[in-house]
Amino acid sequence: MTRELLIPIARDVIKHAKAGTIKQASKVMRLPATHYTDSNRFKTEVEKLIKRVPIILGPSCEISKPGDFKTLSIAGMSLIVSRAKDGTAHAMINACSHRGACLTKEESGNRKQFTCPYHGWSFSNVGNLMAVSAEKDFGNIDKNDYGLISLPVYESAGLIWAILNPNSKVNIPTFLSGYDQMLDTFSFSDWVYISKRKFSGPNWKIAYDGYLEYYHVPVLHRDTFGVDATNQGIYYSWGPHQHIKSPATEKGHAATETLGYMANLIDKSEDEWDTETLTYGVWTVFPTTSIASFDAGGRGVMISQILPGESVEESITTQYYIMEKPPIDPKAAEEQFDFFQKVVMQEDYAMGSSAQPALKEGGLDHILFGRNEQGNQHFHQWIDKVLASDNDKDLNLLFKNGNNH
């Protein structure tokens, strides 16, 4: 059934490929340069966007077994993401309820409980306070009131989402607008976690903009994908989330998996279309994640999480590499992952960083997104919609009424 969700998209892409057309935005968009440089707006984005909407914490297969956990930091908040005995995923603030000490600095592991290194309080791997050291001396407290602060979590399509506000009333399935059903066509739940890489870059939206369009590919990535790579994308959206495919007709191109060439399907009947090819292209999960396919001795995807850094001029990217099956040659696969990181850092992010001075110092008072950069327009419009929503009720209404394309 999941394959059937992808058929209409491929059918539309092939129609455009044969006609030599693409979908376009209604007009060129002007975006104030201050959206990338103003520290006050940056703080607003962190508080009203990053801390209010669901954020992907990673692939399910990263913590596949009961007791598995990982730690990560988002918007200055240290989190523990764990897998309970019953298989459910949990996310908690990595701070002891006694005096706020960090419970663990381990990046990952497997534990049934966490013990505070400051005074020895112990918590289960789902956050319940299990024991207070020297409890008779400390005094009576209700342990049920002093577990770790838990966050709203939703696991679907082999991905884990959470909201950084523990009291949030945002409905995560409503926010996803059915997009998780599309992502479920990958069956990530059955995939294998391989490795990840973490590095810094320019302003988080400058960094993310590069994941949202193909216009730059044959120019900036001419040595990676070639000057004959497509510069055209066709966009499909589910609320704020987007999928990009290409109408390019060249078969066997190096960019086939990553950019979503449907050329191999053009001459086949629909019942011969394979699910893997149907999933090719870039899948962006608002507001911080991009998923792109690759072949590294087997089918895989790179899940890129682009988060705001400590200042308006910095972002932190984590690349998660997961594969349908363990790679045939693990060393060769890791070398390819190193290459992907190098391309992003030395091409995409280096170019993005080169734009920051002109935007910051007033050389440009606005930037442009063309009619062919529909994905960027959609992304920035949705940021403004979220920032204009005053409360969770407004956000739920916004996501409920989001138009799909």
Side-chain angles (χ1 to χ4, degrees), residues 171-376:
N171 184 287
I172 300 180
T174 300
F175 160 79
L176 290 173
S177 306
Y179 195 57
D180 55 328
Q181 297 176 38
M182 305 304 299
L183 294 175
D184 201 32
T185 57
F186 284 95
S187 299
F188 288 148
S189 301
D190 301 321
W191 285 34
V192 181
Y193 172 77
I194 307 298
S195 63
K196 64 183 174 185
R197 284 145 179 77
K198 186 177 180 180
F199 50 93
S200 62
N203 169 272
W204 76 278
K205 290 182 298 182
I206 288 179
Y208 199 60
D209 276 336
Y211 295 85
L212 293 166
E213 47 87 4
Y214 296 167
Y215 189 33
H216 71 283
V217 173
V219 180
L220 182 60
H221 300 310
R222 55 189 175 276
D223 295 329
T224 306
F225 290 124
V227 295
D228 62 339
T230 185
N231 69 351
Q232 294 182 320
I234 299 180
Y235 297 85
Y236 304 88
S237 64
W238 294 257
H241 318 290
Q242 301 183 82
H243 175 46
I244 318 170
K245 275 184 165 34
S246 169
T249 57
E250 182 179 350
K251 295 182 179 180
H253 195 278
T256 294
E257 293 94 348
T258 303
L259 303 186
Y261 285 36
M262 295 290 100
N264 291 335
L265 304 183
I266 289 179
D267 300 325
K268 297 180 179 180
S269 61
E270 290 187 8
D271 60 356
E272 296 179 291
W273 290 358
D274 63 286
T275 302
E276 179 177 344
T277 301
L278 291 171
T279 63
Y280 288 168
V282 174
W283 299 83
T284 62
V285 186
F286 184 85
T288 62
T289 305
S290 171
I291 302 172
S293 294
F294 64 80
D295 187 319
R299 184 188 183 193
V301 299
M302 176 176 70
I303 303 172
S304 301
Q305 177 79 294
I306 302 91
L307 293 166
E310 293 183 3
S311 72
V312 66
E313 296 180 347
E314 182 188 21
S315 61
I316 301 296
T317 294
T318 301
Q319 293 176 336
Y320 299 90
Y321 294 94
I322 66 174
M323 297 184 68
E324 189 173 32
K325 298 177 181 178
I328 298 172
D329 186 339
K331 182 180 178 181
E334 291 294 342
E335 289 174 352
Q336 186 163 349
F337 303 157
D338 289 339
F339 173 70
F340 291 154
Q341 179 185 357
K342 180 180 177 181
V343 168
V344 172
M345 292 181 66
Q346 297 185 4
E347 296 179 13
D348 294 279
Y349 287 6
M351 186 61 65
S353 295
S354 76
Q356 284 193 153
L359 300 179
K360 180 180 179 181
E361 302 302 330
L364 297 174
D365 64 1
H366 68 275
I367 58 115
L368 299 174
F369 290 118
R371 295 181 62 204
N372 58 335
E373 297 175 300
Q374 188 176 357
N376 303 79

Side-chain angles (χ1 to χ4, degrees), residues 53-267:
V53 305
I55 300 290
I56 286 182
L57 302 184
S60 299
C61 56
E62 189 182 10
I63 54 165
S64 59
K65 302 174 183 176
D68 282 355
F69 76 93
K70 61 174 278 188
T71 59
L72 75 162
S73 181
I74 302 178
M77 297 173 62
S78 179
L79 308 178
I80 298 172
V81 187
S82 66
R83 179 77 63 193
K85 184 178 180 180
D86 65 2
T88 58
H90 295 256
M92 303 152 287
I93 296 177
N94 186 11
C96 179
S97 55
H98 173 211
R99 299 264 289 276
C102 179
L103 282 177
T104 179
K105 293 186 178 180
E106 289 184 88
E107 186 175 305
S108 62
N110 186 285
R111 288 193 188 182
K112 292 182 178 179
Q113 66 179 39
F114 296 93
T115 300
C116 179
Y118 195 0
H119 295 95
W121 286 27
S122 295
F123 301 84
S124 73
N125 66 352
V126 298
N128 298 322
L129 177 57
M130 305 299 291
V132 174
S133 59
E135 185 170 6
K136 183 178 179 181
D137 296 340
F138 185 84
N140 293 325
I141 60 169
D142 187 340
K143 292 186 181 70
N144 294 323
D145 294 335
Y146 288 93
L148 301 182
I149 296 176
S150 295
L151 303 178
V153 169
Y154 184 75
E155 186 170 19
S156 179
L159 298 166
I160 302 169
W161 281 265
I163 303 174
L164 299 186
N165 174 10
N167 300 312
S168 175
K169 297 296 187 287
V170 171
N171 184 287
I172 300 180
T174 300
F175 160 79
L176 290 173
S177 306
Y179 195 57
D180 55 328
Q181 297 176 38
M182 305 304 299
L183 294 175
D184 201 32
T185 57
F186 284 95
S187 299
F188 288 148
S189 301
D190 301 321
W191 285 34
V192 181
Y193 172 77
I194 307 298
S195 63
K196 64 183 174 185
R197 284 145 179 77
K198 186 177 180 180
F199 50 93
S200 62
N203 169 272
W204 76 278
K205 290 182 298 182
I206 288 179
Y208 199 60
D209 276 336
Y211 295 85
L212 293 166
E213 47 87 4
Y214 296 167
Y215 189 33
H216 71 283
V217 173
V219 180
L220 182 60
H221 300 310
R222 55 189 175 276
D223 295 329
T224 306
F225 290 124
V227 295
D228 62 339
T230 185
N231 69 351
Q232 294 182 320
I234 299 180
Y235 297 85
Y236 304 88
S237 64
W238 294 257
H241 318 290
Q242 301 183 82
H243 175 46
I244 318 170
K245 275 184 165 34
S246 169
T249 57
E250 182 179 350
K251 295 182 179 180
H253 195 278
T256 294
E257 293 94 348
T258 303
L259 303 186
Y261 285 36
M262 295 290 100
N264 291 335
L265 304 183
I266 289 179
D267 300 325

